[in-house]
């Protein structure tokens, strides 16, 4: 099981955010997020939005650090990428 996280660089709600993704399945992603104690509300259709202060927790739990463009590539190649409009409908 491998999960991936990009650096916290995405601003929102007064903080920076990372994206936590799987290249295998949403089940794998949800299980990892559950172990981290992330709320299901942080799931954005094909990834979890991870606040900057939880980045080190994700890495310590085994998430592999990758660049942001790598996150998108991994999602596309795995078939797990959902376009933004589809993500909103699929929640």
């Amino acid at each position: 099981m491998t999960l991936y996280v990009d650096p916290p660089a995405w601003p929102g709600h007064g903080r920076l955010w990372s994206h936590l993704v799987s290249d295998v399945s949403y089940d794998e992603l949800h299980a990892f997020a559950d172990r981290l104690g992330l709320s299901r509300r942080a799931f954005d259709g094909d990834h979890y939005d991870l606040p900057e202060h939880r980045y080190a927790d994700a890495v310590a739990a085994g998430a592999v650090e990758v660049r942001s463009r790598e996150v998108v590539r991994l999602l596309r190649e795995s078939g797990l990428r959902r376009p933004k409009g589809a993500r909103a409908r699929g929640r």
Side-chain angles (χ1 to χ4, degrees):
M1 168 162 89
T2 304
L3 282 287
Y4 302 90
V5 64
D6 65 358
W10 306 98
H13 308 286
R15 63 177 76 177
L16 294 176
W17 298 82
S18 295
H19 300 107
L20 179 67
V21 302
S22 169
D23 65 347
V24 174
S25 73
Y26 298 122
D27 290 338
E28 175 187 58
L29 179 59
H30 292 312
F32 190 86
D34 287 345
R35 284 194 299 284
L36 286 178
L38 298 178
S39 168
R40 202 49 79 97
R41 292 180 315 192
F43 182 63
D44 192 14
D46 60 8
H47 68 275
Y48 275 83
D49 290 323
L50 183 72
E52 180 178 25
H53 70 276
R54 298 300 312 275
Y55 181 82
D57 298 335
V59 173
V64 174
E65 299 171 277
V66 296
R67 297 176 68 184
S68 295
R69 78 171 46 123
E70 186 73 2
V71 164
V72 175
R73 185 189 67 76
L74 288 163
L75 285 172
R76 284 186 181 145
E77 288 181 3
S78 68
L80 297 175
R81 180 71 171 154
R82 290 185 179 155
K84 192 162 184 88
R87 283 186 266 159
R89 289 188 302 272
R91 280 189 182 215

